[in-house]
Amino acid sequence: MSKLLTVFGATGLQGGSLLRYLLKRADVLKIYRLRGVTRNTEKPAAVALEEAGVEMVRVLNLETCGWRTHAHARSVWEKGLAELEVAQGKAMADAAVAAGAELIVWSSLPNVTAMSAGKLSRIKNYDDKAEVEDYIRTLPIKSNFFMPAMYMQQFTEKFKPKPDDQGKLVFSVTWSGRCPLIDIKDAGKFIVPALLSPDEYNGKRFTAATAFYTPAAMVEAWKKVTGKEIKLDEANPGAWGKGFPPDLLEMLKEVTGLIEDYECYGPTGQEDLDWTLAQMDDPPTTWEQFVEENEPWFD
């Protein structure tokens, strides 16, 4: 009998991308049957997954649901409450152990407060995922940690180059250094190795990025693909955050420091990424490929 693989947040960017990719992997489907957990099984994304062969389950209270055999866990950021993500993550991990699951794949991130020796302490979505990771590592269950970079999708709307007062396209960012990027549709490419070889990758972190890109490199890809002239406005403190609440604005300021000083993953980031890419059998999407696939950018 096949093992059960349960994906939480099945209609979100990470979970939905993972399930759609796994449906294309015959080697995975020989081992696992797929279940998706969502709050609304009637939404179009859930219906599409059900029709594709995923068992979709509606769960409103994530603290009380669990796995039977295998699990990919992704918690969510809700209402800005850091405590909620930590509580949900630990509860799901406990439920996985209680249900006899063999593996948890947790969507994690580095502990920025620790990595920066307290210099950056407001990036709670990183720290909270790391706290749950630390907790999972204490449990009697195999684990693997998917560490996603900044989504390329974030630059398709709100943060893409925009016309200035003269109508010229400007890409305004708050940093000039290297930032890791991932096309989140590639989530499954990074997770499959652990699903196929859970013993080999037990306790391992997968640095989920295609590469580290500077804003200048991103602009060059846009220019090459679209044929448009784009000006780069680096280290613009007002580039991100218009209309954001003050607490989120303060966090975004620290995100700039995270990118500039730590390249998001810390001093071993490039080494960790090189190792991760060497484990994969399906290469991730490059930034230039992503730009090509998401034309037109500027109408």
Side-chain angles (χ1 to χ4, degrees):
M1 183 177 178
S2 60
K3 298 177 181 180
L4 175 63
L5 171 63
T6 300
V7 178
F8 282 77
T11 57
L13 282 174
Q14 285 189 38
S17 297
L18 171 60
L19 283 168
R20 287 188 289 273
Y21 181 76
L22 295 181
L23 286 166
K24 301 174 185 177
R25 293 287 301 238
D27 52 350
V28 173
L29 297 179
K30 286 180 181 178
I31 303 172
Y32 302 103
R33 66 190 191 279
L34 305 179
R35 172 182 290 170
V37 174
T38 183
R39 289 179 176 82
N40 182 3
T41 55
E42 297 181 359
K43 64 194 301 186
V47 172
L49 287 169
E50 184 90 54
E51 292 175 347
V54 179
E55 176 196 1
M56 296 300 294
V57 177
R58 179 174 180 261
V59 176
L60 294 179
N61 185 355
L62 292 179
E63 284 81 353
T64 61
C65 56
W67 298 260
R68 292 184 180 177
T69 311
H70 249 74
H72 165 75
R74 178 181 183 268
S75 187
V76 293
W77 183 270
E78 264 184 35
K79 301 179 182 177
L81 298 178
E83 298 83 0
L84 178 61
E85 179 164 26
V86 173
Q88 286 182 349
K90 291 181 178 180
M92 287 191 286
D94 288 338
V97 173
E102 298 176 11
L103 170 71
I104 296 176
V105 180
W106 175 252
S107 180
S108 191
L109 288 168
N111 186 316
V112 176
T113 300
M115 185 169 65
S116 67
K119 179 182 176 182
L120 306 175
S121 60
R122 294 177 178 269
I123 310 178
K124 294 299 184 183
N125 58 316
Y126 274 63
D127 289 359
D128 296 334
K129 286 177 169 57
E131 180 179 342
V132 177
E133 175 185 335
D134 290 342
Y135 180 75
I136 290 171
R137 289 182 181 276
T138 69
L139 300 177
I141 189 171
K142 295 171 189 173
S143 57
N144 179 266
F145 302 97
F146 169 71
M147 313 280 285
M150 185 178 292
Y151 298 176
M152 294 180 186
Q153 282 78 359
Q154 290 180 279
F155 299 96
T156 59
E157 291 295 337
K158 187 174 182 59
F159 301 130
K160 72 179 184 180
K162 293 180 174 59
D164 63 11
D165 294 340
Q166 287 76 44
K168 297 180 180 180
L169 290 169
V170 179
F171 181 43
S172 295
V173 291
T174 61
W175 69 90
S176 59
R178 302 193 322 160
C179 179
L181 298 180
I182 181 177
D183 179 349
I184 199 57
K185 290 188 296 184
D186 289 340
K189 298 179 181 180
F190 291 88
I191 291 171
V192 158
L195 299 180
L196 297 179
S197 303
D199 290 326
E200 179 180 356
Y201 295 111
N202 181 27
K204 300 292 186 181
R205 284 178 162 185
F206 273 60
T207 300
T210 298
F212 290 84
Y213 295 93
T214 63
M218 295 174 67
V219 166
E220 286 305 310
W222 266 314
K223 291 165 68 174
K224 178 181 178 181
V225 172
T226 68
K228 301 287 188 180
E229 188 61 34
I230 300 171
K231 177 185 175 182
L232 175 59
D233 181 16
E234 292 178 323
N236 180 348
W240 287 23
K242 292 181 179 178
F244 289 179
D247 57 341
L248 184 55
L249 199 56
E250 288 301 313
M251 186 194 78
L252 288 174
K253 291 179 181 178
E254 291 201 357
V255 169
T256 298
L258 177 63
I259 297 171
E260 292 283 20
D261 299 336
Y262 303 97
E263 295 186 341
C264 293
Y265 290 118
T268 64
Q270 185 64 63
E271 178 184 349
D272 295 339
L273 176 58
D274 292 342
W275 177 85
T276 296
L277 295 176
Q279 313 310 307
M280 298 166 62
D281 60 14
D282 194 359
T285 304
T286 67
W287 170 247
E288 185 172 326
Q289 289 171 332
F290 181 83
V291 173
E292 291 173 346
E293 292 170 3
N294 284 274
E295 280 270 64
W297 286 81
F298 315 112
D299 294 327

Short mmCIF file of all heavy atoms in Angstrom, two decimals, residues 9 11-22 72 74 107-109 129 146-156 180-191 206-210 265 280 284-287 290 293-294:
data_model
loop_
_atom_site.label_atom_id
_atom_site.label_comp_id
_atom_site.label_asym_id
_atom_site.label_seq_id
_atom_site.Cartn_x
_atom_site.Cartn_y
_atom_site.Cartn_z
N GLY A 9 -1.59 23.78 3.63
CA GLY A 9 -1.57 24.96 2.78
C GLY A 9 -1.59 24.56 1.32
O GLY A 9 -0.86 25.10 0.49
N THR A 11 -3.44 24.93 -1.22
CA THR A 11 -3.80 25.84 -2.31
C THR A 11 -2.97 27.12 -2.28
O THR A 11 -3.22 28.04 -3.06
CB THR A 11 -5.30 26.19 -2.26
OG1 THR A 11 -5.61 26.77 -0.98
CG2 THR A 11 -6.15 24.95 -2.47
N GLY A 12 -1.99 27.19 -1.38
CA GLY A 12 -1.11 28.35 -1.32
C GLY A 12 0.00 28.25 -2.34
O GLY A 12 0.11 27.28 -3.10
N LEU A 13 0.87 29.24 -2.35
CA LEU A 13 1.96 29.26 -3.32
C LEU A 13 2.89 28.06 -3.16
O LEU A 13 3.21 27.37 -4.12
CB LEU A 13 2.75 30.56 -3.19
CG LEU A 13 2.13 31.80 -3.83
CD1 LEU A 13 2.96 33.04 -3.50
CD2 LEU A 13 2.01 31.64 -5.34
N GLN A 14 3.33 27.80 -1.93
CA GLN A 14 4.24 26.68 -1.71
C GLN A 14 3.53 25.34 -1.86
O GLN A 14 3.96 24.47 -2.62
CB GLN A 14 4.88 26.77 -0.32
CG GLN A 14 5.96 27.82 -0.20
CD GLN A 14 6.70 27.70 1.13
OE1 GLN A 14 6.96 26.62 1.63
NE2 GLN A 14 7.04 28.84 1.71
N GLY A 15 2.46 25.16 -1.10
CA GLY A 15 1.78 23.87 -1.09
C GLY A 15 1.19 23.51 -2.44
O GLY A 15 1.30 22.36 -2.90
N GLY A 16 0.54 24.48 -3.09
CA GLY A 16 -0.05 24.21 -4.39
C GLY A 16 1.00 23.88 -5.43
O GLY A 16 0.83 22.97 -6.25
N SER A 17 2.11 24.62 -5.40
CA SER A 17 3.19 24.36 -6.34
C SER A 17 3.77 22.96 -6.12
O SER A 17 4.06 22.24 -7.08
CB SER A 17 4.29 25.41 -6.18
OG SER A 17 3.81 26.70 -6.50
N LEU A 18 3.93 22.59 -4.86
CA LEU A 18 4.46 21.27 -4.54
C LEU A 18 3.56 20.17 -5.09
O LEU A 18 4.03 19.24 -5.76
CB LEU A 18 4.63 21.13 -3.03
CG LEU A 18 4.99 19.73 -2.52
CD1 LEU A 18 6.31 19.26 -3.10
CD2 LEU A 18 5.02 19.71 -1.00
N LEU A 19 2.28 20.26 -4.83
CA LEU A 19 1.36 19.22 -5.27
C LEU A 19 1.31 19.12 -6.79
O LEU A 19 1.31 18.01 -7.35
CB LEU A 19 -0.04 19.48 -4.70
CG LEU A 19 -0.22 19.12 -3.23
CD1 LEU A 19 -1.53 19.69 -2.70
CD2 LEU A 19 -0.17 17.60 -3.04
N ARG A 20 1.26 20.24 -7.47
CA ARG A 20 1.21 20.19 -8.94
C ARG A 20 2.47 19.56 -9.51
O ARG A 20 2.41 18.85 -10.52
CB ARG A 20 0.99 21.61 -9.49
CG ARG A 20 -0.43 22.12 -9.28
CD ARG A 20 -0.67 23.43 -10.02
NE ARG A 20 0.05 24.53 -9.40
CZ ARG A 20 -0.42 25.27 -8.40
NH1 ARG A 20 -1.61 25.02 -7.89
NH2 ARG A 20 0.29 26.27 -7.90
N TYR A 21 3.60 19.81 -8.87
CA TYR A 21 4.84 19.19 -9.34
C TYR A 21 4.85 17.70 -9.06
O TYR A 21 5.24 16.90 -9.92
CB TYR A 21 6.04 19.87 -8.68
CG TYR A 21 7.36 19.31 -9.15
CD1 TYR A 21 7.88 19.64 -10.39
CD2 TYR A 21 8.08 18.43 -8.34
CE1 TYR A 21 9.08 19.12 -10.83
CE2 TYR A 21 9.29 17.91 -8.77
CZ TYR A 21 9.78 18.26 -10.02
OH TYR A 21 10.98 17.73 -10.45
N LEU A 22 4.43 17.31 -7.86
CA LEU A 22 4.44 15.88 -7.51
C LEU A 22 3.53 15.08 -8.42
O LEU A 22 3.81 13.90 -8.70
CB LEU A 22 4.00 15.71 -6.05
CG LEU A 22 4.93 16.31 -4.99
CD1 LEU A 22 4.38 16.02 -3.60
CD2 LEU A 22 6.35 15.78 -5.13
N HIS A 72 4.36 16.83 4.57
CA HIS A 72 5.06 18.09 4.28
C HIS A 72 4.28 19.15 5.02
O HIS A 72 3.08 19.31 4.82
CB HIS A 72 5.04 18.42 2.79
CG HIS A 72 5.41 19.84 2.50
ND1 HIS A 72 6.69 20.30 2.59
CD2 HIS A 72 4.64 20.90 2.18
CE1 HIS A 72 6.71 21.59 2.30
NE2 HIS A 72 5.48 21.98 2.06
N ARG A 74 3.62 23.10 6.11
CA ARG A 74 3.89 24.51 5.91
C ARG A 74 2.91 25.31 6.73
O ARG A 74 1.71 25.25 6.52
CB ARG A 74 3.75 24.90 4.44
CG ARG A 74 3.99 26.40 4.26
CD ARG A 74 3.85 26.84 2.82
NE ARG A 74 4.16 28.24 2.71
CZ ARG A 74 3.27 29.21 2.79
NH1 ARG A 74 2.02 28.94 2.98
NH2 ARG A 74 3.65 30.47 2.67
N SER A 107 8.80 23.89 6.10
CA SER A 107 9.23 25.09 5.40
C SER A 107 9.83 26.04 6.42
O SER A 107 9.12 26.67 7.20
CB SER A 107 8.05 25.75 4.67
OG SER A 107 8.47 26.91 3.99
N SER A 108 11.15 26.15 6.43
CA SER A 108 11.86 26.86 7.49
C SER A 108 12.66 28.03 6.92
O SER A 108 12.69 28.26 5.71
CB SER A 108 12.79 25.88 8.22
OG SER A 108 13.31 26.46 9.40
N LEU A 109 13.30 28.75 7.82
CA LEU A 109 14.18 29.86 7.46
C LEU A 109 15.20 30.04 8.58
O LEU A 109 15.01 29.54 9.68
CB LEU A 109 13.38 31.16 7.26
CG LEU A 109 12.51 31.23 6.00
CD1 LEU A 109 11.55 32.42 6.08
CD2 LEU A 109 13.37 31.33 4.75
N LYS A 129 9.83 30.42 12.12
CA LYS A 129 10.01 29.16 11.39
C LYS A 129 11.21 28.39 11.94
O LYS A 129 11.19 27.16 12.06
CB LYS A 129 10.17 29.44 9.90
CG LYS A 129 8.87 29.82 9.20
CD LYS A 129 9.10 30.15 7.75
CE LYS A 129 7.79 30.28 6.98
NZ LYS A 129 6.88 31.28 7.52
N PHE A 146 13.00 22.70 4.14
CA PHE A 146 12.93 23.44 2.88
C PHE A 146 13.06 24.92 3.22
O PHE A 146 12.23 25.47 3.93
CB PHE A 146 11.60 23.12 2.20
CG PHE A 146 11.25 23.99 1.03
CD1 PHE A 146 11.93 23.87 -0.17
CD2 PHE A 146 10.19 24.89 1.11
CE1 PHE A 146 11.59 24.66 -1.26
CE2 PHE A 146 9.84 25.67 0.03
CZ PHE A 146 10.54 25.56 -1.16
N MET A 147 14.12 25.57 2.72
CA MET A 147 14.45 26.94 3.12
C MET A 147 14.28 27.88 1.92
O MET A 147 15.25 28.20 1.22
CB MET A 147 15.89 27.00 3.62
CG MET A 147 16.28 25.90 4.60
SD MET A 147 15.73 26.23 6.27
CE MET A 147 16.89 27.49 6.77
N PRO A 148 13.06 28.35 1.65
CA PRO A 148 12.83 29.12 0.43
C PRO A 148 13.40 30.53 0.46
O PRO A 148 13.33 31.23 1.47
CB PRO A 148 11.30 29.16 0.32
CG PRO A 148 10.83 29.05 1.74
CD PRO A 148 11.83 28.15 2.43
N ALA A 149 13.96 30.93 -0.66
CA ALA A 149 14.48 32.28 -0.85
C ALA A 149 13.33 33.25 -1.13
O ALA A 149 12.14 32.88 -1.07
CB ALA A 149 15.48 32.28 -2.00
N MET A 150 13.67 34.49 -1.44
CA MET A 150 12.66 35.46 -1.84
C MET A 150 12.02 34.99 -3.15
O MET A 150 12.70 34.58 -4.08
CB MET A 150 13.29 36.84 -2.03
CG MET A 150 12.27 37.94 -2.32
SD MET A 150 13.03 39.58 -2.49
CE MET A 150 13.57 39.89 -0.80
N TYR A 151 10.69 35.04 -3.20
CA TYR A 151 9.98 34.57 -4.38
C TYR A 151 10.19 35.52 -5.57
O TYR A 151 10.02 36.74 -5.43
CB TYR A 151 8.48 34.49 -4.13
CG TYR A 151 8.02 33.54 -3.07
CD1 TYR A 151 6.67 33.48 -2.74
CD2 TYR A 151 8.90 32.71 -2.39
CE1 TYR A 151 6.20 32.62 -1.76
CE2 TYR A 151 8.45 31.84 -1.41
CZ TYR A 151 7.10 31.80 -1.09
OH TYR A 151 6.64 30.95 -0.13
N MET A 152 10.49 34.97 -6.73
CA MET A 152 10.53 35.77 -7.95
C MET A 152 9.16 36.39 -8.21
O MET A 152 9.06 37.49 -8.78
CB MET A 152 10.96 34.91 -9.13
CG MET A 152 12.38 34.39 -9.04
SD MET A 152 12.82 33.36 -10.47
CE MET A 152 14.46 32.80 -9.97
N GLN A 153 8.12 35.69 -7.79
CA GLN A 153 6.75 36.18 -8.01
C GLN A 153 6.49 37.54 -7.36
O GLN A 153 5.58 38.27 -7.78
CB GLN A 153 5.75 35.15 -7.50
CG GLN A 153 5.52 33.97 -8.40
CD GLN A 153 6.61 32.91 -8.35
OE1 GLN A 153 7.60 33.05 -7.63
NE2 GLN A 153 6.43 31.85 -9.10
N GLN A 154 7.29 37.88 -6.33
CA GLN A 154 7.08 39.16 -5.66
C GLN A 154 7.39 40.34 -6.58
O GLN A 154 6.98 41.47 -6.30
CB GLN A 154 7.96 39.24 -4.41
CG GLN A 154 7.51 38.30 -3.30
CD GLN A 154 8.39 38.41 -2.08
OE1 GLN A 154 9.46 37.82 -2.01
NE2 GLN A 154 7.93 39.16 -1.09
N PHE A 155 8.10 40.08 -7.67
CA PHE A 155 8.50 41.17 -8.57
C PHE A 155 7.62 41.27 -9.81
O PHE A 155 7.92 42.01 -10.74
CB PHE A 155 9.96 40.98 -8.97
CG PHE A 155 10.91 41.03 -7.81
CD1 PHE A 155 11.33 39.86 -7.20
CD2 PHE A 155 11.33 42.24 -7.28
CE1 PHE A 155 12.18 39.89 -6.11
CE2 PHE A 155 12.17 42.29 -6.18
CZ PHE A 155 12.60 41.10 -5.59
N THR A 156 6.50 40.51 -9.82
CA THR A 156 5.62 40.57 -10.98
C THR A 156 4.58 41.68 -10.88
O THR A 156 4.02 42.07 -11.90
CB THR A 156 4.88 39.23 -11.17
OG1 THR A 156 4.12 38.93 -10.00
CG2 THR A 156 5.87 38.10 -11.45
N PRO A 180 19.08 35.95 -2.68
CA PRO A 180 18.67 34.68 -3.28
C PRO A 180 17.23 34.74 -3.77
O PRO A 180 16.37 35.30 -3.08
CB PRO A 180 18.83 33.68 -2.14
CG PRO A 180 18.62 34.49 -0.91
CD PRO A 180 19.18 35.85 -1.21
N LEU A 181 16.97 34.15 -4.93
CA LEU A 181 15.63 34.16 -5.50
C LEU A 181 15.22 32.73 -5.88
O LEU A 181 16.05 31.92 -6.29
CB LEU A 181 15.57 35.03 -6.75
CG LEU A 181 15.86 36.52 -6.60
CD1 LEU A 181 15.75 37.20 -7.96
CD2 LEU A 181 14.94 37.17 -5.59
N ILE A 182 13.91 32.47 -5.77
CA ILE A 182 13.35 31.20 -6.20
C ILE A 182 12.03 31.45 -6.93
O ILE A 182 11.24 32.31 -6.52
CB ILE A 182 13.09 30.25 -5.00
CG1 ILE A 182 12.51 28.91 -5.47
CG2 ILE A 182 12.18 30.90 -3.97
CD1 ILE A 182 12.30 27.90 -4.36
N ASP A 183 11.83 30.74 -8.02
CA ASP A 183 10.49 30.65 -8.61
C ASP A 183 9.77 29.61 -7.76
O ASP A 183 10.11 28.43 -7.78
CB ASP A 183 10.59 30.18 -10.07
CG ASP A 183 9.23 30.04 -10.73
OD1 ASP A 183 8.20 30.11 -10.03
OD2 ASP A 183 9.18 29.84 -11.96
N ILE A 184 8.79 30.06 -6.97
CA ILE A 184 8.20 29.16 -5.99
C ILE A 184 7.47 28.00 -6.65
O ILE A 184 7.17 26.98 -5.99
CB ILE A 184 7.28 29.93 -5.01
CG1 ILE A 184 7.04 29.10 -3.74
CG2 ILE A 184 5.99 30.33 -5.70
CD1 ILE A 184 8.29 28.71 -2.99
N LYS A 185 7.21 28.08 -7.94
CA LYS A 185 6.65 26.93 -8.65
C LYS A 185 7.63 25.76 -8.65
O LYS A 185 7.26 24.62 -8.94
CB LYS A 185 6.29 27.31 -10.08
CG LYS A 185 5.10 28.26 -10.19
CD LYS A 185 4.66 28.46 -11.62
CE LYS A 185 5.73 29.13 -12.45
NZ LYS A 185 5.26 29.42 -13.84
N ASP A 186 8.89 26.04 -8.33
CA ASP A 186 9.92 25.00 -8.27
C ASP A 186 10.02 24.32 -6.91
O ASP A 186 10.93 23.52 -6.68
CB ASP A 186 11.30 25.60 -8.61
CG ASP A 186 11.43 25.97 -10.07
OD1 ASP A 186 10.66 25.46 -10.89
OD2 ASP A 186 12.33 26.79 -10.37
N ALA A 187 9.12 24.62 -5.99
CA ALA A 187 9.22 24.08 -4.63
C ALA A 187 9.41 22.57 -4.64
O ALA A 187 10.26 22.03 -3.91
CB ALA A 187 7.99 24.45 -3.81
N GLY A 188 8.65 21.88 -5.45
CA GLY A 188 8.73 20.43 -5.48
C GLY A 188 10.08 19.91 -5.91
O GLY A 188 10.52 18.82 -5.47
N LYS A 189 10.77 20.65 -6.77
CA LYS A 189 12.09 20.21 -7.22
C LYS A 189 13.07 20.09 -6.05
O LYS A 189 13.96 19.24 -6.07
CB LYS A 189 12.64 21.20 -8.25
CG LYS A 189 11.81 21.32 -9.53
CD LYS A 189 12.40 22.34 -10.48
CE LYS A 189 11.57 22.49 -11.73
NZ LYS A 189 12.14 23.49 -12.68
N PHE A 190 12.90 20.95 -5.07
CA PHE A 190 13.79 20.95 -3.90
C PHE A 190 13.37 19.91 -2.86
O PHE A 190 14.19 19.48 -2.05
CB PHE A 190 13.81 22.33 -3.25
CG PHE A 190 14.48 23.40 -4.07
CD1 PHE A 190 13.75 24.13 -5.00
CD2 PHE A 190 15.83 23.66 -3.94
CE1 PHE A 190 14.36 25.13 -5.76
CE2 PHE A 190 16.45 24.64 -4.69
CZ PHE A 190 15.71 25.37 -5.61
N ILE A 191 12.10 19.53 -2.86
CA ILE A 191 11.58 18.64 -1.82
C ILE A 191 11.63 17.17 -2.22
O ILE A 191 11.77 16.28 -1.36
CB ILE A 191 10.15 19.08 -1.45
CG1 ILE A 191 10.20 20.44 -0.74
CG2 ILE A 191 9.44 18.05 -0.59
CD1 ILE A 191 8.85 21.08 -0.51
N PHE A 206 17.63 22.21 2.87
CA PHE A 206 17.75 22.47 1.44
C PHE A 206 17.59 23.98 1.22
O PHE A 206 16.52 24.54 1.46
CB PHE A 206 16.71 21.69 0.65
CG PHE A 206 17.15 20.30 0.29
CD1 PHE A 206 17.47 19.37 1.28
CD2 PHE A 206 17.28 19.92 -1.04
CE1 PHE A 206 17.90 18.10 0.96
CE2 PHE A 206 17.70 18.64 -1.37
CZ PHE A 206 18.02 17.73 -0.38
N THR A 207 18.67 24.62 0.81
CA THR A 207 18.66 26.05 0.53
C THR A 207 17.96 26.26 -0.80
O THR A 207 18.54 26.03 -1.87
CB THR A 207 20.10 26.60 0.49
OG1 THR A 207 20.71 26.37 1.76
CG2 THR A 207 20.11 28.09 0.20
N ALA A 208 16.71 26.65 -0.75
CA ALA A 208 15.84 26.64 -1.92
C ALA A 208 15.91 27.97 -2.69
O ALA A 208 15.12 28.88 -2.47
CB ALA A 208 14.41 26.32 -1.53
N ALA A 209 16.88 28.05 -3.55
CA ALA A 209 17.06 29.22 -4.42
C ALA A 209 17.68 28.75 -5.72
O ALA A 209 18.33 27.70 -5.78
CB ALA A 209 17.96 30.26 -3.75
N THR A 210 17.48 29.53 -6.77
CA THR A 210 18.17 29.25 -8.02
C THR A 210 19.59 29.77 -7.97
O THR A 210 20.55 29.11 -8.36
CB THR A 210 17.43 29.91 -9.20
OG1 THR A 210 16.13 29.35 -9.29
CG2 THR A 210 18.18 29.70 -10.50
N TYR A 265 20.86 34.01 3.96
CA TYR A 265 21.17 32.70 4.52
C TYR A 265 22.39 32.67 5.43
O TYR A 265 22.70 31.63 6.02
CB TYR A 265 21.38 31.68 3.39
CG TYR A 265 20.13 31.31 2.63
CD1 TYR A 265 20.01 31.59 1.27
CD2 TYR A 265 19.07 30.66 3.26
CE1 TYR A 265 18.87 31.24 0.56
CE2 TYR A 265 17.93 30.31 2.56
CZ TYR A 265 17.83 30.60 1.21
OH TYR A 265 16.70 30.25 0.51
N MET A 280 19.72 17.83 -6.66
CA MET A 280 18.48 17.89 -7.43
C MET A 280 18.64 17.26 -8.80
O MET A 280 19.70 17.34 -9.42
CB MET A 280 18.04 19.35 -7.57
CG MET A 280 17.75 20.01 -6.22
SD MET A 280 17.61 21.81 -6.33
CE MET A 280 16.19 21.97 -7.44
N PRO A 284 16.34 24.25 -11.23
CA PRO A 284 15.35 25.30 -10.97
C PRO A 284 15.37 26.37 -12.06
O PRO A 284 16.33 26.51 -12.82
CB PRO A 284 15.79 25.88 -9.63
CG PRO A 284 17.26 25.63 -9.59
CD PRO A 284 17.49 24.34 -10.31
N THR A 285 14.31 27.12 -12.09
CA THR A 285 14.12 28.20 -13.07
C THR A 285 15.05 29.37 -12.75
O THR A 285 15.11 29.84 -11.62
CB THR A 285 12.66 28.68 -13.03
OG1 THR A 285 11.80 27.56 -13.27
CG2 THR A 285 12.41 29.75 -14.09
N THR A 286 15.77 29.85 -13.77
CA THR A 286 16.62 31.03 -13.59
C THR A 286 15.76 32.29 -13.62
O THR A 286 14.62 32.29 -14.09
CB THR A 286 17.69 31.12 -14.67
OG1 THR A 286 17.05 31.38 -15.94
CG2 THR A 286 18.51 29.84 -14.76
N TRP A 287 16.35 33.39 -13.15
CA TRP A 287 15.63 34.67 -13.19
C TRP A 287 15.30 35.06 -14.62
O TRP A 287 14.19 35.51 -14.92
CB TRP A 287 16.44 35.75 -12.49
CG TRP A 287 15.90 37.14 -12.69
CD1 TRP A 287 16.46 38.16 -13.37
CD2 TRP A 287 14.64 37.65 -12.20
NE1 TRP A 287 15.66 39.28 -13.35
CE2 TRP A 287 14.53 38.99 -12.63
CE3 TRP A 287 13.62 37.10 -11.44
CZ2 TRP A 287 13.43 39.79 -12.33
CZ3 TRP A 287 12.51 37.91 -11.13
CH2 TRP A 287 12.43 39.23 -11.58
N PHE A 290 12.43 33.08 -15.82
CA PHE A 290 11.21 33.55 -15.17
C PHE A 290 10.69 34.81 -15.86
O PHE A 290 9.49 34.95 -16.10
CB PHE A 290 11.47 33.84 -13.70
CG PHE A 290 10.28 34.32 -12.93
CD1 PHE A 290 9.35 33.42 -12.42
CD2 PHE A 290 10.07 35.68 -12.71
CE1 PHE A 290 8.25 33.86 -11.71
CE2 PHE A 290 8.96 36.13 -12.00
CZ PHE A 290 8.05 35.22 -11.50
N GLU A 293 9.09 33.82 -19.10
CA GLU A 293 7.84 33.11 -18.93
C GLU A 293 6.69 34.03 -18.48
O GLU A 293 5.52 33.66 -18.60
CB GLU A 293 8.00 31.97 -17.93
CG GLU A 293 8.89 30.86 -18.44
CD GLU A 293 9.24 29.84 -17.35
OE1 GLU A 293 8.72 29.99 -16.21
OE2 GLU A 293 10.03 28.92 -17.62
N ASN A 294 7.03 35.20 -17.95
CA ASN A 294 5.99 36.08 -17.40
C ASN A 294 5.79 37.34 -18.24
O ASN A 294 5.25 38.34 -17.74
CB ASN A 294 6.33 36.44 -15.96
CG ASN A 294 6.06 35.29 -15.00
OD1 ASN A 294 4.95 35.12 -14.51
ND2 ASN A 294 7.09 34.48 -14.75
#
